[in-house]
Amino acid sequence: MAREPFPSTSSTLRSLRLQREWLEWEERRRAAAAQQWCRGPRCPPSSRARLTRPRHSCRDPAVHSALFSGDLQQVQALFQDEDAANMIVETVSDQLAWSPEQGFWVLTPKTKQTVPLTIAAARGYTACARHLIQQGAELDARVGGRAALHEACAQAQSDCVRLLLTFGAKANVLSEEGTTPLHLCTAPGSLQCAKLLLEAGATVNAAARDSEVTPLHVAAARGLEEHVALYLEHGADVGLRTSQGETALNAACAGAEGPGSGRKYQAAARRLLEAGADARVAGHKRHTPLHNACANGCGALAELLLRHGACAGVPNAAGHTPMDCALQAVQDVPSWEPEVLFSALLDYGAQPAQPEMLKHCANFPRALEVLLNAYPCVPSGDTWVEAVLPELWQEHEAFYSSALSMANQPRRLQHLARLAVRAQLGNRCRQAAACLPLPQLLRDYLLLRVEGHIQ
């Protein structure tokens, strides 16, 4: 008895029956094509028949199992011709969907369609993908919205990307959403995929159809410094904007959600700035990169932007300055040092915060001290004192008491002289202080060093 390549389950038998039906259909098609060849215009039978060739849909668990597990033996047994290699594979999964009639979320079955090659490429099953291609799988088929090359890049499967490109897959194939495979290189491990695409002729400045997002925007928004550097080496334009008016630099600063992730975004932003990105360009709602960095509590990133010409006092469409954004973010961003960000903004020419905004940093005594020392006269404590937590007040009573005692009182001449020098230096305060022949203590005092009390 011949050895079976896999167990003959009911699902397998259905697959074999489907394959037999395809073969019978193919024989009929060839016979019809031969007759047409004798009577009609001279064109290859296969190409004429392909115009009306139906795509078969399959939900067979045996087929699904072979593809999703990467079982090469079963894939070779099930996919033995072009029709099988291009079948539509349907999967049904339950997903939460809002039901207006019932008023709550319900599990709703959702059918997804794709093709065997896309499944194999997305999972890195190179041998299976090669077999499917050799059987005639269409390289750029977009069943389900994306081609196999899109999914291989999205999953950082560089071996499959190389295979597809070697067999002639289009490096700039568009998904139904109007994105190229390069747009889907969104993980650190996809760098090799991006390199292969660019070597194969991928357009580095390709803009997505509706959003006009480029691969550089995508890489910057995810803090992928190496991707950013690669795209810049291949001619990426740092000045291109999305449909919302955002540059790649603004995307990088918007993506830096909190100081913890700020380092990688800072590295990406530095690459963009060194390539000529303008730190002052505003995007959606006149939000500049500095507004985004401040709203995310990224002090080092904000200082980088300020060193490259960002304006510390420019308002957005809502009238909020970067200082306002930083104050509003104080309580939303845990485990950070807002005084670093406030000092940078003030050293680069930002005006003191509005007194009513001080309540946002009332529970950060070091940050509050920096802001209070930017005034020639300490504002009334009525704007912030009630926001201080009792246990924090007890821990930092010396500072809070000194701040209250100096409210609406004349400041020392030494402090007024400090403010006069800072006003004269303007937005060059930090750079100038480093060049002035001053003792370190006096230089620190000029730059609003935290002392733990107000006097």
Side-chain angles (χ1 to χ4, degrees), residues 3 10 57 78 80 96 98 106 127 133 142 147 162 261 268 279 287 337 384 410 427 450:
R3 183 167 177 249
S10 59
S57 297
L78 290 170
Q80 297 182 359
L96 282 175
W98 177 257
V106 295
I133 294 172
R142 299 183 302 172
R162 182 182 289 106
S261 62
H287 234 49
E337 299 175 339
W384 56 266
N427 59 7
V450 174

Side-chain angles (χ1 to χ4, degrees), residues 277-397:
D278 190 346
R280 298 165 296 180
V281 172
H284 187 52
K285 297 182 179 179
R286 287 169 34 199
H287 234 49
T288 67
L290 184 59
H291 281 95
N292 283 323
C294 291
N296 288 326
C298 297
L301 179 55
E303 186 172 349
L304 174 67
L305 295 169
L306 290 164
R307 288 201 305 268
H308 283 82
C311 181
V314 63
N316 60 17
H320 295 151
T321 65
M323 177 69 78
D324 296 329
C325 293
L327 280 163
Q328 293 169 359
V330 167
Q331 296 177 345
D332 298 331
V333 183
S335 304
W336 71 303
E337 299 175 339
E339 65 272 13
V340 174
L341 178 52
F342 295 152
S343 294
L345 290 170
L346 292 169
D347 288 346
Y348 281 90
Q351 294 300 310
Q354 295 296 323
E356 59 270 17
M357 298 291 288
L358 295 176
K359 61 184 178 182
H360 292 290
C361 64
N363 291 306
F364 294 82
R366 294 174 61 85
L368 182 60
E369 179 181 343
V370 168
L371 293 179
L372 291 178
N373 278 331
Y375 296 94
C377 181
V378 175
S380 170
D382 295 341
T383 59
W384 56 266
V385 68
E386 292 184 355
V388 181
L389 297 173
E391 59 271 21
L392 201 63
W393 184 284
Q394 184 175 0
E395 182 181 355
H396 300 276
E397 184 176 2

Side-chain angles (χ1 to χ4, degrees), residues 242-263:
T242 67
S243 58
Q244 298 293 323
E246 305 287 339
T247 64
L249 181 61
N250 217 327
C253 296
E257 297 181 354
S261 62
R263 183 172 299 178

Side-chain angles (χ1 to χ4, degrees), residues 201-218:
T203 303
V204 73
N205 287 318
R209 183 173 55 238
D210 296 326
S211 64
E212 298 182 34
V213 168
T214 68
L216 186 64
H217 285 98
V218 174

Side-chain angles (χ1 to χ4, degrees), residues 9 18 39 41 84-85 119 167 178 181 188 204 219 230 282 343 394 428-429:
T9 64
L18 179 62
R39 295 182 299 180
I119 296 174
F167 275 93
V204 73
L230 175 67
S343 294
Q394 184 175 0
R428 298 175 292 107
C429 186

